[in-house]
Amino acid sequence: MTWVITRLCRDCVDESCVEVCPVDCIYQYDGDNGASFPKQLYIDPEECINCGVCEPECPWEAIFEDEQVPELFTEDTPLNAKILDLKDQFSVPDVGEKPKPSPEQIEENKRKWGYTP
Ligand code: SF4
Ligand code: SF4
């Protein structure tokens, strides 16, 4: 079991999750293949200790336990795991202060991805 960052993170990336992760296993992609690795963060499934601390910290509600990832976002689990083959192209980002989204922005972001739980 591991935790997964889904596409609800894309272009939001406020890094609250990075700040709380006790083992620094949440990464950004630094390579030039943006088509395969969109602008979001990624959890290394081998380093993640399954503590779940990151999930409530994510204002965009983008993080799920792998067994709970919504069907719409199933592809995001192997996408996070691709980090295992390309580790040298990922790094732990510096955390900066970002404005938090409003409830309306959070719902709009979910709708954008067709996710209406
Ligand atoms: S807190 Fe959520 S939206 Fe922000 S970078 Fe982490 S997973 Fe992405
Ligand atoms: S579950 Fe814990 S170890 Fe895994 S990414 Fe989240 S904070 Fe880090």
Side-chain angles (χ1 to χ4, degrees), residues 24-104:
D24 290 337
C25 72
I26 302 178
Y27 292 86
Q28 67 185 7
Y29 175 66
D30 300 322
D32 53 13
N33 186 358
S36 298
F37 295 99
K39 185 172 164 43
Q40 64 164 76
L41 298 192
Y42 300 85
I43 292 175
D44 181 322
E46 289 188 348
E47 293 181 356
C48 175
I49 58 169
N50 306 320
C51 68
V53 167
C54 54
E55 188 269 339
E57 294 300 319
C58 175
W60 295 96
E61 302 174 9
I63 307 176
F64 295 84
E65 245 181 311
D66 57 358
E67 290 165 3
Q68 304 293 328
V69 171
E71 210 174 320
L72 261 177
F73 305 152
T74 3
E75 290 172 11
D76 296 339
T77 303
L79 178 63
N80 277 239
K82 280 187 183 172
I83 194 174
L84 299 174
D85 300 324
L86 299 165
K87 202 58 189 283
D88 59 340
Q89 295 182 38
F90 287 82
S91 65
V92 177
D94 292 330
V95 178
E97 197 62 35
K98 304 272 170 58
K100 297 297 176 211
S102 67
E104 291 76 23

Side-chain angles (χ1 to χ4, degrees), residues 5 8-9 12-18 26 41 57-63:
I5 296 181
L8 293 174
C9 171
C12 299
V13 197
D14 81 351
E15 298 159 357
S16 302
C17 54
V18 177
I26 302 178
L41 298 192
E57 294 300 319
C58 175
W60 295 96
E61 302 174 9
I63 307 176

